[in-house]
Amino acid sequence: GLISANISLPINLLDFAVNANCKKFINLSTFIAQFKTISPNRYALTKRQAEEWGAYYANNYSLHFINLILHQVFGDGDGKTKFIPWVIKEINNNVDSINFTEGEQERDFIHVVDVAKAVKLIAEEFDNNKSGFESFDVCSGRVMTVKKFVEMVKRIAGSDTKLNFGSKEYRKYEIMRLNPNPKLLTNFGWQPSVSLEEGITQMLKNI
C-alpha cells in the first residue's frame, strides 16, 4: 500500500543508511507533494511526509538528503492506465471521443530519460561529504496546460478523436498553476534532452 511503500520503506532505508554510515540519500518525490494548503490526494500526502522524514534525518545525522521533485514524467514503459499513456493510446486508436476537464491545469512534462540522467548526475557528481537537506526540481522549466498537451497528441497522431473538454469536473484540490525551476540542477550541467513532441512521437510508434 501507499503507507508501506512511500513512508515505511523510506524510513527503514534512512535508518539503514545512517547505520551504514551512508553519506548521500536520493529521494524521488513529486511536484504534487509541494501543495500549499491541502493535499490533492493520498499519494501526494505520503510523498510530502517522506520528504519531512528526510529533512529530519538530514538535520539530525551526518546525511545528505537530496530530494528530487519529479514533474510530469512521461515516456515508454509507463503503466498503461496512467493518464499520459492512456490518452496517447486512446487517441492513436482513433476512439470516437474522450471526456476531459477544461484542461487548464498546468504541467511541466519531462521525459523519463532526462529523469534518469538527473539521478545519475546526483549519484555520481554530488559531494559525498556534505550533509543537510537539498531539493531540486527535475523539469524543463516550461509549463503547458493539459488541454494543449492532449491537442498536441491528437495533432501528432493525426487522429479524428473528438476531445470533449469541460465534460468532467476538476479533482478536488487540483494543482492548477506551477512555477517549475530547473536552474539549481542545470547549474550542475544537467539539461533536458528529449522534447515533448519527440517523446510523444516515440510513444506513438511503440504502442
Side-chain angles (χ1 to χ4, degrees):
L2 282 177
I3 304 297
S4 175
N6 292 343
I7 300 177
S8 299
L9 177 60
I11 292 173
N12 289 334
L13 290 173
L14 284 163
D15 278 333
F16 180 83
V18 168
N19 291 330
N21 200 30
C22 178
K23 299 299 183 182
K24 184 191 300 178
F25 191 103
I26 302 173
N27 181 60
L28 301 185
S29 190
T30 170
F31 73 97
I32 62 171
Q34 315 309 309
F35 53 87
K36 303 302 181 185
T37 54
I38 299 175
S39 171
N41 56 43
R42 294 174 70 241
Y43 174 76
L45 182 58
T46 60
K47 284 296 198 178
R48 166 66 72 85
Q49 291 170 344
E51 290 182 12
E52 292 172 353
W53 276 104
Y56 172 83
Y57 275 79
N59 291 328
N60 288 278
Y61 302 96
S62 298
L63 181 68
H64 189 191
F65 186 92
I66 304 170
N67 190 53
L68 298 184
I69 302 170
L70 307 187
H71 280 257
Q72 194 71 58
V73 181
F74 74 104
D76 291 320
D78 206 355
K80 294 180 179 180
T81 59
K82 291 185 177 179
F83 179 75
I84 292 176
W86 174 79
V87 163
I88 289 176
K89 183 179 179 181
E90 292 292 286
I91 289 177
N92 189 60
N93 288 343
N94 219 28
V95 298
D96 291 337
S97 64
I98 308 174
N99 294 332
F100 298 97
T101 66
E102 291 288 350
E104 293 302 321
Q105 58 270 58
E106 293 177 343
R107 296 294 181 262
D108 184 318
F109 297 89
I110 186 75
H111 197 272
V112 65
V113 166
D114 291 317
V115 172
K117 289 179 179 178
V119 174
K120 183 174 185 290
L121 174 70
I122 297 292
E124 295 179 350
E125 303 296 333
F126 271 45
D127 187 357
N128 286 334
N129 295 315
K130 195 173 182 180
S131 62
F133 180 98
E134 282 191 286
S135 201
F136 298 87
D137 275 325
V138 182
C139 61
S140 69
R142 297 180 295 274
V143 298
M144 174 183 284
T145 64
V146 169
K147 181 177 181 179
K148 289 188 179 299
F149 166 77
V150 173
E151 289 173 340
M152 178 185 285
V153 172
K154 179 178 176 178
R155 174 179 59 80
I156 296 173
S159 174
D160 295 320
T161 297
K162 183 180 179 183
L163 308 176
N164 298 323
F165 292 104
S167 299
K168 299 173 68 174
E169 295 291 327
Y170 286 116
R171 293 182 300 183
K172 195 174 184 180
Y173 308 119
E174 179 67 271
I175 294 175
M176 298 298 295
R177 297 291 172 259
L178 297 176
N179 187 27
N181 185 3
K183 188 174 181 180
L184 288 176
L185 204 51
T186 58
N187 285 343
F188 288 96
W190 175 85
Q191 289 288 342
S193 60
V194 183
S195 70
L196 180 56
E197 189 157 340
E198 181 183 356
I200 291 171
T201 301
Q202 184 180 9
M203 290 180 73
L204 284 165
K205 288 179 179 178
N206 293 332
I207 288 178

